């Protein structure tokens, strides 16, 4: 089925439960696909007897994310929330409270805050501006809106005894982003392409680290800091 | 002691780091940061130079005794070994 994901035409195999996941992304647009995901390349043996759906979800995602790098893009393992037309991404290893944190934003701001992807939003740089996109790869909760939102900030989460936030320097930001995106490539060219995207990303988008407790004050702190940072960066 | 080709040296945000390629067995999360002498040692290893040659470089560039230089080289090689950049025989 032909889908429009992150402003790209993507051919996604329907098998393995991908059809309902892609419902919001189906397109009648004509033309050849930018990226063709191939079910015959799925490496099911990697998943130790997991079901067909798990394999299709994981493997289609890997193929998409790998190709995305050739279109000025990358994915970031994160929960993405939109507020007032800007995207704020909360990233970090599993268990650091990404989803919990964006739920706190929703509590705080009500319907004004929309979580549009809870696992792997795509980022692309178009005409010198960064955008975050919803994708069909959205994690177990299935939170998934087909959206394109200007990126205003990225925040890496850590559990803490109190809520503190600080801006990361470019090196710290690069290391954190690399740890939460795809970067295990066989070919050096693709790694270099990814590094060149991240290099622009950390120069153009403010990146933070938040030590947080799962409470509304943490959301207030991240919002206030990131909104101000975006304003200063002209985002 | 030879680099196994599963890692590459790159400059990231003004810093030199060693990054794993996909067939690397990664024992650490992310990257190894190298200082200036580390970069020079890495370059020599890329050229297939041995422990002695690495120590030669350190004694030439820095004002250190051969003994200290060899210690530093071994420390560096151990670090790379632990990270999986060198296949230990």
């Amino acid at each position: 089925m032909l889908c429009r994901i992150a402003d790209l035409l993507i051919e996604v195999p329907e098998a393995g439960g991908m059809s309902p996941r892609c419902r919001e992304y189906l397109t009648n647009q004509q033309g050849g696909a930018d990226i063709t995901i191939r079910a015959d390349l799925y490496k099911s043996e990697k998943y130790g007897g997991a079901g067909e759906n798990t394999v299709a979800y994981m493997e289609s995602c890997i193929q998409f994310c790998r190709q995305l790098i050739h279109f000025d893009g990358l994915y970031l393992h994160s929960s993405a929330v939109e507020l007032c037309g800007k995207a704020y991404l909360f990233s970090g290893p599993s268990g650091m409270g990404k989803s919990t944190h964006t739920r706190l934003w929703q509590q705080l701001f009500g319907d004004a805050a929309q979580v549009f992807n809870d696992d792997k939003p795509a980022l692309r740089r178009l005409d010198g501006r960064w955008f975050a996109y919803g994708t069909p790869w959205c994690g177990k909760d299935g939170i998934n809106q087909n959206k394109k939102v200007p990126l205003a900030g990225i925040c890496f989460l850590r559990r803490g005894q109190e809520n503190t936030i600080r801006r990361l320097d470019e090196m710290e930001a690069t290391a954190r982003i690399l740890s939460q995106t795809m970067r295990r490539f066989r070919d050096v060219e693709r790694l270099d392409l990814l590094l060149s995207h991240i290099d622009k990303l950390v120069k153009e988008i403010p990146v933070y680290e938040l030590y947080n407790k799962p409470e509304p004050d943490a959301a207030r702190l991240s919002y206030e800091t990131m909104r101000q940072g975006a304003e200063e960066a002209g985002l | 002691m030879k680099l196994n080709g599963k890692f590459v040296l790159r400059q990231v945000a003004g810093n030199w780091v060693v990054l794993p390629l996909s067939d690397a067995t990664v024992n650490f999360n992310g990257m190894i940061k190298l200082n200036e002498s580390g970069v020079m040692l890495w370059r020599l290893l890329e050229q297939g130079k041995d422990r002695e040659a690495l120590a030669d470089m350190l004694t030439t560039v820095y004002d250190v005794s051969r003994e200290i230089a060899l210690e530093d080289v071994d420390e560096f090689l151990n670090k790379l070994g632990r990270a999986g950049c060198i296949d230990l025989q």
Side-chain angles (χ1 to χ4, degrees):
Chain A
M1 58 193 158
L2 192 60
C3 299
R4 191 170 174 82
I5 305 167
D7 279 333
L8 295 167
L9 285 178
I10 318 285
E11 182 63 40
V12 186
E14 289 181 34
M18 288 311 290
S19 184
R21 284 189 183 274
C22 291
R23 199 173 291 132
E24 270 203 62
Y25 298 86
L26 292 176
T27 178
N28 296 320
Q29 205 176 322
Q30 298 298 309
D34 297 300
I35 297 172
T36 300
I37 292 168
R38 287 176 48 187
D40 60 313
L41 297 179
Y42 290 177
K43 293 177 181 148
S44 50
E45 67 278 6
K46 268 177 23 191
Y47 301 90
E52 184 200 10
N53 285 20
T54 303
V55 173
Y57 176 80
M58 299 298 286
E59 287 287 300
S60 60
C61 183
I62 289 171
Q63 288 187 33
F64 168 73
C65 294
R66 189 180 286 150
Q67 295 297 321
L68 180 61
I69 291 169
H70 296 280
F71 297 91
D72 295 308
L74 67 154
Y75 85 88
L76 187 68
H77 179 219
S78 57
S79 185
V81 59
E82 178 196 356
L83 182 73
C84 301
K86 289 178 184 173
Y88 300 88
L89 269 53
F90 293 89
S91 184
S94 300
M96 291 296 162
K98 296 185 288 290
S99 302
T100 307
H101 196 76
T102 49
R103 295 314 169 275
L104 287 170
W105 274 49
Q106 285 186 309
Q107 268 180 37
L108 210 55
F109 300 107
D111 285 343
Q114 297 275 327
V115 178
F116 61 95
N117 188 286
D118 209 22
D119 191 37
K120 294 188 177 73
L123 301 179
R124 287 187 74 201
R125 188 176 189 268
L126 303 174
D127 296 323
R129 290 181 69 200
W130 285 96
F131 295 91
Y133 294 88
T135 71
W137 297 278
C138 51
K140 54 183 181 300
D141 293 344
I143 292 171
N144 174 11
Q145 295 176 29
N146 183 359
K147 273 195 186 185
K148 172 187 189 178
V149 188
L151 180 60
I154 297 171
C155 183
F156 287 85
L157 296 181
R158 305 282 293 268
R159 298 276 187 201
Q161 292 306 309
E162 50 190 317
N163 301 311
T164 54
I165 192 166
R166 73 180 177 99
R167 180 92 179 251
L168 297 177
D169 67 30
E170 288 177 14
M171 182 63 200
E172 295 172 316
T174 302
R176 301 249 197 329
I177 290 167
L178 267 174
S179 74
Q180 297 302 323
T181 189
M182 169 176 289
R183 62 180 174 89
R184 309 278 313 266
F185 307 113
R186 202 155 288 130
D187 51 323
V188 178
E189 291 74 23
R190 198 173 276 152
L191 175 65
D192 284 335
L193 202 49
L194 174 63
L195 289 176
S196 76
H197 300 338
I198 296 176
D199 187 56
K200 295 189 187 89
L201 184 60
V202 299
K203 284 186 167 69
E204 294 165 356
I205 301 292
V207 182
Y208 302 87
E209 180 173 71
L210 172 71
Y211 280 85
N212 77 107
K213 292 200 286 186
E215 60 185 22
D217 274 350
R220 258 180 229 112
L221 178 63
S222 64
Y223 166 68
E224 280 301 332
T225 312
M226 293 174 81
R227 186 195 54 79
Q228 198 183 335
E231 218 163 79
E232 286 165 6
L235 299 168
Chain B
M1 284 287 188
K2 272 209 167 116
L3 294 176
N4 57 22
K6 294 173 181 171
F7 290 76
V8 290
L9 177 66
R10 286 292 180 273
Q11 209 167 11
V12 168
N15 294 273
W16 288 98
V17 295
V18 171
L19 295 166
L21 294 173
S22 66
D23 37 10
T25 318
V26 183
N27 310 323
F28 61 98
N29 189 15
M31 46 170 81
I32 314 164
K33 220 162 140 175
L34 294 188
N35 59 18
E36 207 168 85
S37 62
V39 171
M40 289 189 276
L41 292 173
W42 180 276
R43 295 270 197 238
L44 291 177
L45 285 173
E46 277 181 333
Q47 293 161 22
K49 297 289 197 305
D50 62 9
R51 174 172 174 266
E52 299 294 324
L54 267 56
D56 286 344
M57 185 277 287
L58 290 184
T59 53
T60 312
V61 177
Y62 303 97
D63 188 20
V64 292
S65 68
R66 177 133 200 103
E67 204 183 347
I68 299 287
L70 280 169
E71 271 176 28
D72 288 352
V73 167
D74 287 342
E75 194 185 313
F76 180 73
L77 293 174
N78 282 333
K79 179 176 160 182
L80 296 189
R82 281 195 302 276
C85 308
I86 292 173
D87 294 329
L88 303 165
Q89 330 294 335

